[in-house]
Structure formats: C-alpha cells, structure tokens
Amino acid sequence: MTAPSSYTPQITGSHSALLWPVKAECVIIRSVNNASPNDGFFQARRTRIGLVVATALYLFLVCAAYLSRTPITPSKSIAVFGPSIVRANNEIPLRIIGFEHASRRHSPVIALGATARTSAGDSTLRLKPGKWGTPSYLHLSDLPGQTGVFDLILDLQASEDTSRKVVAPMTAYDAPISVWPTAMGLPDKVPTQALQIEVLTEGPGLALQLLNTVWIRVTDTSGLPVSGVAVSWSALGATPSKGIGESDAAGLVAIQVTPNNLSTRFTVDAEKDGLSGHQEQTEQPLGRAAIIRTSRIIQAGGEPPISLAIVQPEDGVIFCDLVKDDAWIRTWHLETKNGEPPIVQVDLPETGVYQFQCYSHFAKPGDGADSLYLFRTSKSRLSLTTELLRAEAGGRTGRYRDNSPVVGPAATHALLASFRTKAVDVVAPALLANTRKADAQVARIANDRTRARFMLLIGASFGMVILWAVYVGIQSAIESRVRLAEAIAELGDMAVNVGPLTGLMRARMLVQVSLVILVLALNVLGMLALYQYM
C-alpha cells in the first residue's frame, strides 16, 4: 500500500499501526442565550403532567356535557282536519287539534286568523263562532266565486306565548254533484209463504245498550204491502223481549228494543184472513257510538229546521257533520251530559240531498258511526215523498213502491224504513295539514347539529395529540443534536462552531404555546358546554 504524498506516516505510543491523519471540521452546537436547550418551564416534568391532566379534564367535561344533554323533541304539533273539497260560496268548516309530545296528550288550539291564497292573491277570511277544545272547531267565511285549488293559511295559537302558521291545501268547486239515493228494495228471493216478513234495523245495525228502532215489514207474494196484519214478535237477548203490533198502510210495524247481548234473535209471526208468515232472524249488535233520531228527513218550502237528537250509550263528546256532495257544509262538537242527548236544529241551505253523520273520534269515524239522508226541496212535501218512495223499479220492489202510501204516518214510517235502514257511508274528515312530521324533522336536524358539535369538540382532542407529537419530534431532534454536539466537543481543536439551535427551539416554543392555548381554550369550551346542558 502506498501512502499519500502529502502526509508523513507516524508511529504513536507502543503501537506499530500505520496512520494517515485526516483533515476534518467538527461542529459545536452552542445553547441559545447561553442556556441549555433542555432547560425552561415547558421542559419541566410538572408542566407536561399538567398538560396531560388538562387534556383529560377537557375530555371529561365534553363527555359529561354530551351525556347530560336532553335530546330536543317537538313541544307541540298541530293537525287540521276538514273537507278536502269545499263548495264555492259556502263556509269552510275545520277541526283543529294540538298534540303535546312530552305528555302524548291532545291539547286545544285557538285560531287567530285565516287567509286564502289563490292565483289572484290573498283574501282574508272571517272567523265565525266556533268552540275551543280538544279538538277545536271553527267555520270560516266563504270564498265568493272561488273555484279550483287554493291554500288555506291558518294563524294558530298552540300555547299562550307562541303562534304559528299552518298551510292546508284545499279545492273549491261550484258544479253540483248530486246523486239522489233510492229507497231500499225488497229481497229478490222467491216467496215461500203467503206473507213475507222482513226485520229492518235502524242504520247499519243494532246498537248495543241503546234503544233501537226496528221495523217489521209484511208483504204478500207479489210485493204489495199488507196492512192490518196482526204481528207478534220476540227478541231474545233484548229488552223488551216480546210484543205485538199491527201493520200500517206501508205494511210496517215499528218496535223499539235495547240489545243487551252480543246477539239478538228475532222471531216474528204474522197472520191475517187465514194468511200467515213466520220469520226468524239473528242480528249481532254493533258497538256504535251513537244513534241519530229524527221524526222527519224532508225539509220542504218554508218548513222549520229538522230536529235531530244524538243518543249515546254514555256521557261523552260526539262529532257530527253535515255533508253535501262529499263536501262538508258544517260541523258540530256535541256532548251528552247526565244522559240527556244533544239536539241539533239543521236548516238545510239549498235544494238537494244531504248527509248528517256522527261519530265518537274526531279523525276516524270507524264502524260505530251513524249517518242518515236529509232532503231539501222547493216543491211540496207530497211531491218529494212520492218521488222518493215511488222511484222506478221492477219485480216485487216495483209493486211495493207503486203501492206505498205517500201521506200520513204510514208515509213517514215508509220513508224512515226505506232510507234509514241503509248503511250510509260516512264521509271521513280529511287530514288537511299536520305539522308533526315537520316538527320531528326540525328536532332531528337540531339534534344532529348538536351531535356534530360534540363530535368536533371531541375531535379537537386529536389536534392536541398531533401538536404533542410534533413537540415530541422537535424535542427528540434537539436532544439528538445536543448529544451529537457533546460527542464532537470532546475532539477539542478539531471541532467547528456552526451556530445555535435557534430554528428548532423557536419551533418547539411555538408548538408549546399553541398546545397550552388550545388546551385552555378547549377546557373553557368544555365547561361552557357542561354548564349549558346541566
């Protein structure tokens, strides 16, 4: 091996190794301001412990605030019921009810104002007298000449200090849609007895625990009504349980019974001039909410309003409506007190057929509803009675109608038996507006936002972890360079001074200050959040 020409081999000590001195520049790192890079308040162990404790306290405050919060729920929602279709130039009946979410009970709502919004602009509607309760009902003034779709904007007060606007879409029309009902016909079965007997119940069926009117109709084999027939009957499961009667000119015998059991069995025997008939029929009483009682269903000329009594099995509230052409005309909220049935005077506003209906639930009529037809005519009572009872038909029904009486008590019985025994479909109230879903949506969005804020607060702890990791990295770099400098310093005159650790120490100081400020700020936010939800 040949040594470089610029160096002279030297033998050091007792060793015989051959050495080539190497020219090197060694770096000495000096402290900033003559202080050690590892000295200072932020480098103290107690400071680091304090930062860890402050971070843990922050997480405790945030979690405690989150667990202490009460999720937002809607306080009160409002539902508006009424006719989806209204008659032009007629008042608008509405039924309004509030729902308290906390107690899950219904509450009263008061209407402060109403506006109809159409393509032509807004029209203020006048509030007519109603009744505030659970639910409330009111009648709004009509929209003169308005037809088609419009929005009904209601200003409603659900509590003492809050009000809100509810929009209900509706449709107005002025074209009459009148479908006149026809009288109930006779059975089409082939007669097997000289006298045919039918048991006709009032309304859709017998009402349990209520006094029911039942008609016994007697006809001959051709369908002619037979008068003067001696009729004996029994009603097993009802009170009274038996009786006798005589058919009128319409072949009808009206009896009244109160069903006490889940089934009532009628047994009827009829006899006249050697002709006889026998009929057994079982009726299952319904749990009906009410029975509508009236002595007439026709209002002719200048006759007074029709008087209707609503009989219920027990005291309570009953909801009744007057309907024409599938559109509500009026609504009533009635109440039976001390067994006294409420009485309604119904003045039919114009010629046509109406439907008066009653039910116990403000929104769902159910199977217990009762309904009957009412007629208004500009003609004479005799003319309309004849038109109703003698509607064209064939067979036994045609013979019966052609020979039905049109004057006197027998005609009244014939009208009631022919139209009262038909199960008239109830026109259920339409749900025009309901804020429950919207209120729940608002509460859900508010809860989601609150949850997101807490997630951000919890996520801020990761920012502290990141700053701590940056601090540890910078501190590790400083310590490594300090140890390197100490090792090089032992070489003596060969070390070279390149300056202090100014950049790293300033970065460390910036991270330390940021970490402390972040910890203090987040603890303040945590305490405020806990104070808010405690």
Side-chain angles (χ1 to χ4, degrees):
M1 178 180 298
T2 303
S5 58
S6 60
Y7 290 94
T8 303
Q10 298 179 2
I11 303 299
T12 303
S14 59
H15 299 283
S16 58
L18 186 62
L19 301 176
W20 290 273
V22 179
K23 186 177 181 179
E25 293 183 354
C26 299
V27 178
I28 296 178
I29 302 175
R30 300 182 183 273
S31 301
V32 178
N33 298 327
N34 297 321
S36 172
N38 293 320
D39 293 339
F41 173 76
F42 288 110
Q43 279 65 53
R45 188 169 181 267
R46 63 179 179 275
T47 303
R48 299 182 182 183
I49 294 176
L51 289 175
V52 173
V53 172
T55 303
L57 176 61
Y58 164 71
L59 291 175
F60 169 77
L61 291 174
V62 172
C63 293
Y66 182 78
L67 296 177
S68 300
R69 73 183 181 91
T70 301
I72 298 175
T73 57
S75 59
K76 182 180 290 187
S77 298
I78 298 175
V80 179
F81 296 89
S84 57
I85 299 177
V86 296
R87 291 286 304 275
N89 302 316
N90 278 357
E91 62 184 29
I92 304 173
L94 294 176
R95 187 173 295 151
I96 307 170
I97 193 167
F99 178 78
E100 295 180 349
H101 291 262
S103 62
R104 302 193 66 80
R105 293 182 178 180
H106 293 112
S107 58
V109 177
I110 298 176
L112 303 177
T115 303
R117 178 165 295 170
T118 65
S119 57
D122 292 353
S123 301
T124 301
L125 302 181
R126 181 167 51 89
L127 299 179
K128 296 188 176 181
K131 179 180 180 181
W132 312 125
T134 311
S136 304
Y137 79 89
L138 70 153
H139 295 85
L140 306 178
S141 59
D142 60 295
L143 288 173
Q146 169 62 37
T147 59
V149 178
F150 68 96
D151 287 334
L152 181 63
I153 304 174
L154 299 171
D155 186 8
L156 304 176
Q157 182 177 340
S159 59
E160 293 182 357
D161 54 349
T162 60
S163 62
R164 62 189 304 179
K165 293 187 181 297
V166 177
V167 180
M170 304 186 74
T171 302
Y173 74 97
D174 57 4
I177 309 175
S178 297
V179 179
W180 284 72
T182 56
M184 184 177 180
L186 272 62
D188 293 330
K189 64 181 181 180
V190 178
T192 58
Q193 304 178 97
L195 297 179
Q196 298 297 306
I197 301 173
E198 299 169 68
V199 178
L200 308 176
T201 61
E202 187 177 27
L206 294 177
L208 194 64
Q209 302 297 329
L210 285 177
L211 187 64
N212 293 252
T213 298
V214 177
W215 291 278
I216 299 173
R217 182 161 61 184
V218 183
T219 57
D220 64 11
T221 55
S222 66
L224 291 173
V226 182
S227 61
V229 177
V231 175
S232 61
W233 58 271
S234 65
L236 183 61
T239 304
S241 59
K242 60 182 179 179
I244 58 174
E246 182 176 323
S247 62
D248 59 17
L252 295 170
V253 178
I255 66 174
Q256 290 187 325
V257 295
T258 301
N260 300 317
N261 298 329
L262 296 180
S263 65
T264 301
R265 184 173 182 81
F266 291 95
T267 302
V268 182
D269 290 293
E271 184 176 355
K272 179 183 179 182
D273 299 335
L275 302 178
S276 64
H278 177 81
Q279 176 69 17
E280 294 183 4
Q281 184 172 326
T282 300
E283 294 288 337
Q284 294 180 339
L286 305 173
R288 290 170 58 190
I291 290 180
I292 305 171
R293 296 234 185 271
T294 184
S295 59
R296 61 189 177 100
I297 59 175
I298 294 178
Q299 184 181 10
E303 291 182 347
I306 298 175
S307 180
L308 303 169
I310 295 87
V311 182
Q312 297 178 260
E314 56 187 19
D315 289 357
V317 177
I318 195 78
F319 307 97
C320 299
D321 313 312
L322 182 64
V323 179
K324 188 177 190 297
D325 305 332
D326 289 336
W328 282 14
I329 302 299
R330 281 206 61 186
T331 185
W332 294 264
H333 293 189
L334 307 172
E335 186 175 2
T336 299
K337 295 182 179 179
N338 301 321
E340 291 294 329
I343 297 177
V344 179
Q345 304 293 332
V346 179
D347 191 8
L348 305 179
E350 60 183 2
T351 301
V353 56
Y354 295 79
Q355 182 177 329
F356 188 83
Q357 57 188 30
C358 295
Y359 41 90
S360 59
H361 192 275
F362 64 88
K364 299 178 180 179
D367 296 331
D370 194 14
S371 181
L372 58 81
Y373 289 119
L374 300 177
F375 301 91
R376 174 74 177 187
T377 180
S378 58
K379 306 175 184 177
S380 65
R381 170 179 290 273
L382 175 60
S383 176
L384 182 57
T385 302
T386 304
E387 181 181 346
L388 292 174
L389 291 179
R390 294 190 174 178
E392 184 177 353
R396 299 184 69 245
T397 298
R399 291 292 302 276
Y400 180 81
R401 291 180 180 175
D402 291 341
N403 291 274
S404 293
V406 293
V407 293
T412 301
H413 279 168
L415 279 172
L416 293 174
S418 298
F419 291 95
R420 191 67 181 92
T421 57
K422 299 184 68 174
V424 183
D425 293 334
V426 173
V427 179
L431 180 59
L432 303 179
N434 187 5
T435 67
R436 189 170 183 174
K437 184 178 293 185
D439 294 339
Q441 178 74 1
V442 170
R444 186 185 64 80
I445 293 175
N447 287 325
D448 289 344
R449 289 176 177 173
T450 301
R451 193 178 298 109
R453 285 194 292 268
F454 275 106
M455 293 300 103
L456 289 175
L457 290 176
I458 294 174
S461 62
F462 292 98
M464 293 188 289
V465 172
I466 293 173
L467 286 176
W468 187 266
V470 173
Y471 165 78
V472 171
I474 295 175
Q475 181 66 22
S476 177
I478 292 175
E479 291 177 355
S480 296
R481 294 191 63 178
V482 168
R483 287 194 297 268
L484 178 62
E486 291 174 350
I488 294 176
E490 294 178 357
L491 298 177
D493 293 338
M494 291 186 296
V496 178
N497 183 11
V498 296
L501 296 171
T502 305
L504 285 175
M505 294 184 69
R506 285 179 178 174
R508 184 181 66 178
M509 178 61 69
L510 178 62
V511 172
Q512 289 171 339
V513 172
S514 300
L515 182 60
V516 172
I517 293 175
L518 180 61
V519 170
L520 293 177
L522 291 179
N523 272 275
V524 171
L525 291 177
M527 287 186 286
L528 291 176
L530 183 62
Y531 176 78
Q532 179 181 358
Y533 293 107
M534 284 293 288

